[in-house]
Amino acid sequence: MKVQNHEVVDEWHSLVNPQRSIPARIVQLTGITNEMVRDAPVFSDIADRFMTFMGDGIFVAHNVNFDYGFLSYEYERLERRFRFPKLCTCAGMRRRYPGHKSYGLGKLCAIYGIELEEHHRAPCDARAAARLLNLINRKRAEETPAPPVEVAA
């Protein structure tokens, strides 16, 4: 998801053929099967499109280092750099909305009424992270004091 001014302005996603069998626990968690990725492109085939989509953006995810690490590794295998500023919605929610017992994506979505129908699938989780980002940004804007107003007399 690409977010500007609290609105999703673009989205891009693709399944990727991992070129190996998907472990059973990952199939159970995500619902993504070997059959679903059999004809999907390999990472090298989508790497340029993803970089173009990222542009000069900030990489945002819930537990950002997890997703960022996967992408960094794949670009490194292609002898390319994946370097973007990053923002973690988990850390942002902990800071701006303290006091919850859990800051897992599913728990936060339940608390704040954010749809999460296909949890652990990229498009669904990205939409949810975008909604959390909007909550964080709105709270940050509320906490930022307005600049003093000068009055000419």
Side-chain angles (χ1 to χ4, degrees):
M1 304 295 130
K2 190 173 284 187
V3 177
Q4 293 176 341
N5 299 318
H6 305 287
E7 297 292 327
V8 174
V9 295
D10 198 4
E11 83 177 65
W12 182 90
H13 62 90
S14 175
L15 287 172
V16 175
N17 184 331
Q19 299 178 290
R20 61 179 171 241
S21 184
I22 300 172
R25 64 183 173 80
I26 301 299
V27 172
Q28 185 177 22
L29 180 69
T30 66
I32 299 172
T33 65
N34 290 306
E35 294 75 32
M36 293 168 70
V37 298
R38 181 175 293 125
D39 296 323
V42 295
F43 185 79
S44 61
D45 291 341
I46 63 156
D48 287 339
R49 284 185 281 165
F50 185 67
M51 275 295 197
T52 299
F53 179 77
M54 281 297 299
D56 62 355
I58 298 169
F59 189 84
V60 178
H62 204 71
N63 294 313
V64 71
N65 289 333
F66 180 81
D67 297 295
Y68 194 92
F70 274 102
L71 288 165
S72 294
Y73 175 76
E74 290 300 326
Y75 279 102
E76 188 175 297
R77 287 181 44 190
L78 299 174
E79 299 181 353
R80 295 175 61 183
R81 291 177 54 172
F82 184 79
R83 297 270 171 121
F84 289 91
K86 54 188 173 175
L87 187 146
C88 181
T89 55
C90 183
M93 290 298 289
R94 283 182 191 279
R95 181 173 180 194
R96 302 287 178 199
Y97 296 85
H100 296 301
K101 288 182 182 177
S102 171
Y103 285 84
L105 185 61
K107 296 288 187 189
L108 289 173
C109 287
I111 291 166
Y112 292 99
I114 297 170
E115 184 179 325
L116 194 64
E117 298 263 333
E118 291 185 289
H119 191 19
H120 298 294
R121 293 293 299 269
C124 178
D125 287 2
R127 278 187 205 94
R131 297 273 310 274
L132 292 176
L133 176 65
N134 285 342
L135 288 174
I136 293 163
N137 285 337
R138 285 187 180 110
K139 182 71 110 171
R140 191 175 67 210
E142 290 170 9
E143 294 169 356
T144 304
V149 177
E150 293 186 31
V151 177

